[in-house]
Amino acid sequence: MPTLLLVRHGRSTANTEGLLAGWTPGVALDDRGAAQAAALPGRLAELPLAEIVTSPLQRCQETIRPLLDARPGQTPHTDERIGECHYGDWSGRKLAELKDEPLMEVVQAHPSAAAFPGGESMRAMQTRAAEAVREWNARVERDHGADAVYLMCSHGDIIKSLVADALGLHLDLFQRIAVEPCSITAIRYTRLRPFLVRLGDTGDFASLAPREEAPADDATVGGDAGAP
């Protein structure tokens, strides 16, 4: 079966403003995110991509635009199932405000039981994304062969949930996974099991350097902003 490259969108204005964007319209890449997107074609230059699939949200569309410009014969596909989690009433709110919500403790420690008010549950998020991947695996193998490589541009929580699915981890453990903006995660699928061959690879270890402010113990819902 094919190899899937999961690209998290580049750093967005919501990331730098500390907002939980969700499906809020008009969330674009910031300057660093645009630079990350511009570097993507070079990082993937040696790889033939059978298909490019993206979330419908603007930050993902902007992230793959330079890649599509570098590959003029490639036609992208949009799949809502790999769009961001529907955070409902939490969408557009400051993460600093949400940390005191009782639900946030559930999101951190027991995400399989978390359902966002006016939105969806994290279980539903994982299920729809995993179903999309399985359908695309079958389609890519049928049209391009079992050794094909294809790309999906998606969001932090979606990618983390797909990694957990590939590793056979319970969703309650997915907050232990971190993927930075514009990082590449590669999963090779086979008939019997998937293999995680890259996780959150940015080619940049700046985010591991000590910061003036100590990193939080909790996972950032939606994904953090990466290196400064």
Side-chain angles (χ1 to χ4, degrees), residues 101-159:
E101 294 276 356
L103 178 60
M104 183 60 85
E105 186 176 11
V106 181
V107 170
Q108 293 293 329
H110 192 17
S112 65
F116 296 97
E120 71 179 331
S121 70
M122 301 198 92
R123 285 182 293 106
M125 172 199 75
Q126 183 187 44
T127 297
R128 63 173 163 85
E131 287 178 350
V133 166
R134 282 162 175 76
E135 288 182 19
W136 276 101
N137 281 348
R139 177 174 173 175
V140 169
E141 181 171 7
R142 181 196 68 206
D143 295 345
H144 303 281
D147 295 329
V149 178
Y150 74 107
L151 180 148
M152 284 184 166
C153 185
S154 188
H155 306 265
D157 279 351
I158 295 287
I159 294 172

Side-chain angles (χ1 to χ4, degrees), residues 54-228:
T54 181
S55 156
L57 294 173
Q58 179 179 337
R59 52 199 184 273
C60 286
Q61 301 277 338
E62 290 181 355
T63 298
I64 65 161
R65 177 51 51 194
L67 183 62
L68 293 172
D69 289 344
R71 301 181 184 226
Q74 197 100 40
T75 301
H77 305 273
T78 298
D79 194 325
E80 291 197 358
R81 294 173 297 176
I82 61 167
E84 182 62 285
C85 184
H86 291 275
Y87 296 117
D89 296 345
W90 280 25
S91 298
R93 292 182 59 188
K94 287 273 190 184
L95 287 164
E97 298 172 358
L98 292 170
K99 68 181 179 62
D100 294 325
E101 294 276 356
L103 178 60
M104 183 60 85
E105 186 176 11
V106 181
V107 170
Q108 293 293 329
H110 192 17
S112 65
F116 296 97
E120 71 179 331
S121 70
M122 301 198 92
R123 285 182 293 106
M125 172 199 75
Q126 183 187 44
T127 297
R128 63 173 163 85
E131 287 178 350
V133 166
R134 282 162 175 76
E135 288 182 19
W136 276 101
N137 281 348
R139 177 174 173 175
V140 169
E141 181 171 7
R142 181 196 68 206
D143 295 345
H144 303 281
D147 295 329
V149 178
Y150 74 107
L151 180 148
M152 284 184 166
C153 185
S154 188
H155 306 265
D157 279 351
I158 295 287
I159 294 172
K160 288 163 55 178
S161 74
L162 290 171
V163 170
D165 175 75
L167 292 176
L169 292 177
H170 196 283
L171 184 60
D172 286 346
L173 301 179
F174 100 125
Q175 297 291 26
R176 302 183 183 193
I177 299 166
V179 289
E180 288 200 25
C182 226
S183 64
I184 299 174
T185 293
I187 302 172
R188 180 166 60 87
Y189 288 87
T190 73
R191 186 173 65 87
L192 297 181
R193 64 183 64 85
F195 292 87
L196 179 66
V197 294
R198 292 286 190 280
L199 176 62
D201 190 338
T202 63
D204 178 3
F205 291 89
S207 64
L208 299 182
R211 304 187 190 184
E212 291 183 9
E213 183 178 339
D217 291 335
D218 287 339
T220 303
V221 181
D224 64 21

